[in-house]
């Protein structure tokens, strides 16, 4: 009967399907036949048996699949858990690191505060550039001296010369560019003016405060040929405002040939609006600066800046009588101070 033959092939086909879907099934040479007429087939006992086995097997397979999937999922879960654990550890590490650095910076701040507190009571105070030098700042340049209630000093920007003759110098005056006018009034000389990196006057109140300890003054000069000379004075003192910022000097030393500041020793400070000089004239107006005018000058370091060509024609220039005479205006001048007992 064609029907039984068909059923037999159907069984075979089923078998093939089962075999393909489960490779562990004992291998048997498959017969080529389309799996077309599976549906509606009337089956013998053997076929039912096979069908049950197939069903069993598929169930087993899908069971296995589910189990595997479950296993795989659990592995994935474990991996993920491990990963997140690692991340947690990592983040805890980062946390710890940031806490550590925070702690470190707090320690820095505390040290700074401690240093500032100490500054107010000990001999270790930051008075000037020489203090900074002793604290191992050895590069010339602009520094900020902290304000100090104990010393009664405000914060002050200064230029420190840490190289010349051992360093530790606080620069109180500079002429080098000619861009800043020094023909100023009493109040401006009191407070200071100009730029710390360029031409400036540090201010009479500041200079007074910085010279309360036994202090040395150094004047450096350069002419238009590029020659350089210096003058130093021991025991430099600038009086307070009540004393009209009177200048006191000790002994002169140096290589500029002539002590042209000695003439201004024990003399009060004068500006165009305050005549404290020893003359009938108004020296500050004649010499166009603020200075310890006597009657009037042997030196005029705060005079008018004249450039090359104009530099030797005027009495109100930046002069140092005894090096180039009374009408030679210098190219560059720096005045700087440091404590008498400074040890480089
Ligand atoms: C199907 O599997 C069950 C156990 O899971 C077994 O008891 C039963 O005999 C199996 N049937 C066939 C047709 O193999
Ligand atoms: C100036 O020098 C002389 C010696 O030449 C010395 O006796 C005197 O004490 C010095 N004065 C000052 C203020 O340093
Ligand atoms: C300045 O005057 C004092 C006396 O008041 C004197 O001891 C000192 O040597 C003078 N300095 C200069 C450079 O002339
Ligand atoms: Ca006068």
């Amino acid at each position: 009967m064609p029907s039984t033959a068909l059923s037999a092939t159907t069984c075979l086909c089923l078998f093939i399907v089962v075999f393909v879907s489960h490779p562990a099934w004992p291998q048997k040479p498959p017969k080529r036949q389309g799996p077309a007429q599976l549906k509606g087939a009337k089956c013998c006992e053997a076929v039912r048996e096979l069908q049950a086995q197939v069903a069993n097997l598929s169930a087993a397979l899908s069971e296995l699949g589910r189990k595997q999937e479950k296993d795989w999922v659990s592995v994935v879960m474990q991996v993920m858990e491990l990963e997140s654990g690692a991340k947690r550890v990592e983040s805890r590490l980062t946390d710890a690191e940031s806490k550590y650095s925070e702690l470190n910076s707090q320690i820095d701040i505390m040290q700074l505060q401690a240093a500032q507190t100490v500054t107010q009571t000990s001999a270790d105070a930051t008075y000037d550039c020489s203090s900074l030098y002793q604290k191992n700042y050895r590069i010339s340049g602009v520094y900020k001296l902290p304000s100090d209630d104990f010393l009664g000093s405000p914060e002050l920007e200064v230029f420190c010369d840490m190289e010349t003759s051992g360093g530790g110098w606080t620069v109180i005056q500079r002429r080098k560019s000619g861009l800043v006018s020094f023909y100023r009034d009493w109040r401006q000389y009191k407070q200071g003016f100009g730029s710390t990196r360029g031409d400036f006057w540090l201010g009479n109140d500041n200079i007074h405060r910085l010279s309360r300890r036994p202090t040395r003054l150094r004047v450096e000069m350069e002419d238009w040929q590029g020659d350089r000379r210096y003058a130093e004075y021991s025991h430099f003192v600038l009086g307070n405002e009540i004393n009209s910022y009177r200048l006191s000097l000790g002994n002169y030393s140096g290589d500029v040939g002539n002590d042209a500041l000695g003439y201004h020793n024990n003399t009060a400070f004068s500006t165009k609006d305050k005549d404290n000089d020893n003359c009938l004239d108004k020296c500050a107006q004649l010499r166009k600066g603020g200075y310890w005018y006597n009657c009037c000058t042997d030196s005029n370091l705060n005079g008018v800046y004249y450039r090359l060509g104009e530099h030797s024609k005027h009495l109100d220039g930046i002069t140092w009588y005894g090096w180039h005479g009374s009408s030679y205006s210098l190219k560059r001048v720096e005045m700087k101070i440091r404590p008498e007992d400074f040890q480089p």
Side-chain angles (χ1 to χ4, degrees):
M1 285 285 178
S3 139
T4 22
L6 189 69
S7 295
T9 16
T10 310
C11 290
L12 201 63
C13 285
L14 253 175
F15 182 80
I16 290 162
V17 168
V18 166
F19 166 71
V20 167
S21 65
H22 199 281
W25 201 268
Q27 212 158 19
K28 273 180 190 168
K31 265 197 186 158
R32 250 149 243 234
Q33 185 83 38
Q37 304 92 351
L38 261 163
K39 264 185 189 151
K42 271 207 294 164
C43 266
C44 56
E45 208 51 36
V47 169
R48 281 216 188 85
E49 175 103 5
L50 259 177
Q51 278 176 330
Q53 278 182 356
V54 167
N56 248 16
L57 204 67
S58 335
L61 262 175
S62 68
E63 172 72 17
L64 189 71
R66 243 181 286 128
K67 193 162 177 278
Q68 273 181 342
E69 199 170 339
K70 231 166 80 192
D71 284 351
W72 189 77
V73 165
S74 98
V75 168
V76 168
M77 294 282 280
Q78 280 172 22
V79 169
M80 279 167 65
E81 203 166 315
L82 278 173
E83 272 179 355
S84 81
K87 276 215 188 82
R88 268 203 304 277
V89 170
E90 214 173 294
S91 83
R92 240 179 259 147
L93 210 68
T94 320
D95 230 31
E97 271 172 0
S98 76
K99 283 247 172 60
Y100 179 73
S101 77
E102 195 184 318
L103 205 71
N104 257 358
S105 68
Q106 272 174 0
I107 288 169
D108 280 350
I109 289 166
M110 274 157 57
Q111 280 175 344
L112 203 73
Q113 284 170 343
Q116 281 168 351
T117 311
V118 166
T119 299
Q120 295 183 357
T121 49
S122 88
D124 199 33
T126 306
Y127 292 99
D128 56 15
C129 292
S130 76
S131 318
L132 290 169
Y133 185 95
Q134 303 298 2
K135 289 173 181 169
N136 282 318
Y137 294 93
R138 300 290 162 85
I139 297 166
S140 294
V142 174
Y143 289 85
K144 269 222 167 74
L145 302 177
S147 66
D148 196 318
D149 293 340
F150 186 74
L151 300 171
S153 57
E155 186 180 80
L156 181 61
E157 188 179 299
V158 290
F159 192 98
C160 298
D161 177 348
M162 300 303 204
E163 289 145 72
T164 305
S165 178
W169 298 98
T170 306
V171 180
I172 61 170
Q173 185 256 30
R174 188 190 293 119
R175 313 297 302 273
K176 69 168 184 182
S177 72
L179 297 175
V180 174
S181 167
F182 275 58
Y183 193 37
R184 307 236 181 186
D185 62 22
W186 185 263
R187 191 183 52 84
Q188 287 172 307
Y189 267 99
K190 172 186 165 76
Q191 293 171 352
F193 55 82
S195 130
T196 320
R197 288 175 203 279
D199 293 15
F200 71 94
W201 182 253
L202 190 62
N204 286 337
D205 280 346
N206 296 321
I207 299 168
H208 161 69
R209 202 172 47 245
L210 289 168
S211 70
R212 282 188 300 196
R213 289 192 290 172
T215 297
R216 201 168 178 77
L217 170 70
R218 182 181 169 95
V219 182
E220 287 163 12
M221 292 161 270
E222 185 180 335
D223 67 15
W224 290 95
Q225 285 77 52
D227 285 342
R228 293 179 184 190
R229 301 289 160 84
Y230 78 94
E232 276 192 26
Y233 295 87
S234 64
H235 298 92
F236 165 81
V237 178
L238 190 65
N240 60 19
E241 189 172 14
I242 295 161
N243 289 309
S244 301
Y245 303 119
R246 186 171 298 273
L247 175 70
S248 302
L249 300 169
N251 287 333
Y252 160 85
S253 61
D255 64 1
V256 71
N258 145 293
D259 161 26
L261 202 53
Y263 178 64
H264 303 266
N265 191 9
N266 302 309
T267 305
F269 201 83
S270 292
T271 53
K272 59 182 175 183
D273 59 336
K274 205 156 218 160
D275 179 7
N276 294 320
D277 60 31
N278 301 318
C279 243
L280 286 177
D281 289 322
K282 294 185 170 171
C283 291
Q285 291 179 14
L286 283 176
R287 298 289 189 259
K288 296 197 177 61
Y291 205 58
W292 306 277
Y293 291 110
N294 191 341
C295 188
C296 281
T297 52
D298 255 9
S299 63
N300 190 32
L301 300 177
N302 289 342
V304 179
Y305 194 95
Y306 289 106
R307 296 181 187 283
L308 191 63
E310 283 295 304
H311 68 286
S312 57
K313 301 173 184 168
H314 308 274
L315 288 168
D316 57 6
I318 304 165
T319 56
W320 188 274
Y321 182 77
W323 186 21
H324 282 298
S326 55
S327 60
Y328 185 103
S329 188
L330 297 162
K331 181 187 173 192
R332 186 186 169 103
V333 174
E334 267 183 16
M335 299 170 78
K336 48 195 74 171
I337 56 175
R338 79 178 175 199
E340 204 77 66
D341 60 0
F342 177 78
Q343 301 284 339

